[in-house]
């Protein structure tokens, strides 16, 4: 599948291009992104180049990972990365990170809602899951604003970039 472009009142969601590598690299220097998401640490420019130039296009080509960058219409600034990736037949996971300077303005809810709505319309989805490490209050707030039901906490579900196991929240959103 070819990447799509989505628009909201304030944002354009589109596939990342080589011109976005510096913005992705800069965003992923944030300690919260490095702690709460599975990006390499330290995050090198080569990591951004590979992600933007190889990994993300391959996700669309294989129809397993649909990632879009969200950019502000007024300034063109990167807001964050938003993806739906397949877990199993009809079940996708919503993942996202937001640029530190763009947080707290409702952009992530806006971007994630647009991507979920596209998923309901374009993919064979009956459930979207959300996972976040306990303590990632911003991610949980976005999920709850989107209507996800927090379904539980999994103890020591995964090892984070700090090398330690952490508890994770899990939530679900069913087809409207």
């Amino acid at each position: 599948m070819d990447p799509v472009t989505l628009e909201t009142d304030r944002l354009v969601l589109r596939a990342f291009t080589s011109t976005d590598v510096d913005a992705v690299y800069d965003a992923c220097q944030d300690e919260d992104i490095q702690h709460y998401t599975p990006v390499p640490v330290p995050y090198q420019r080569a990591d951004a180049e590979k992600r933007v130039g190889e990994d993300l296009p391959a996700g669309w080509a294989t129809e397993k990972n649909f990632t879009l960058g969200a950019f502000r219409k007024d300034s063109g600034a990167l807001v964050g990365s938003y993806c739906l990736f397949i877990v199993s037949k009809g079940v996708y996971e919503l993942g996202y990170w937001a640029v530190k300077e763009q947080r707290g303005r409702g952009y992530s809810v806006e971007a994630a809602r647009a991507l979920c709505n596209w998923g309901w319309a374009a993919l064979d989805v009956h459930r979207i899951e959300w996972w976040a490490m306990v303590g990632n209050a911003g991610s949980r707030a976005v999920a709850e604003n989107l209507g996800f039901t927090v379904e539980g906490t999994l103890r020591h579900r995964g090892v984070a970039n700090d090398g330690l196991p952490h508890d994770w929240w899990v939530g679900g959103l069913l087809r409207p």
Side-chain angles (χ1 to χ4, degrees), residues 10-90:
R10 302 181 297 166
L11 304 172
V12 174
L13 285 79
R14 61 165 175 79
F16 285 101
T17 69
S18 60
T19 61
D20 303 317
V21 167
D22 288 336
V24 170
Y25 168 75
D26 290 343
C28 290
Q29 299 309 302
D30 177 53
E31 289 179 8
D32 285 339
I33 290 174
Q34 290 187 10
H35 180 67
Y36 289 120
T37 69
V39 299
V41 176
Y43 195 84
Q44 306 292 329
R45 189 170 196 288
D47 296 317
E49 291 170 347
K50 183 176 184 303
R51 184 81 175 141
V52 168
E54 297 174 29
D55 299 343
L56 298 181
W60 281 92
T62 61
E63 298 187 5
K64 293 183 179 185
N65 182 334
F66 304 99
T67 300
L68 296 173
F71 299 84
R72 290 176 50 168
K73 285 183 176 179
D74 63 353
S75 67
L78 174 64
V79 167
S81 177
Y82 302 83
C83 70
L84 286 174
F85 60 91
I86 193 161
V87 174
S88 61
K89 183 170 176 50

Side-chain angles (χ1 to χ4, degrees), residues 103-148:
R103 294 179 193 149
R105 301 176 186 179
Y107 293 135
S108 284
V109 171
E110 192 173 325
R113 180 171 285 124
L115 186 60
C116 288
N117 287 341
W118 172 81
W120 300 127
L123 305 173
D124 182 23
V125 180
H126 64 265
R127 173 185 168 87
I128 298 175
E129 294 183 342
W130 157 85
W131 299 77
M133 193 184 312
V134 170
N136 191 346
S139 181
R140 183 170 175 152
V142 168
E144 289 178 333
N145 279 324
L146 290 168
F148 279 80

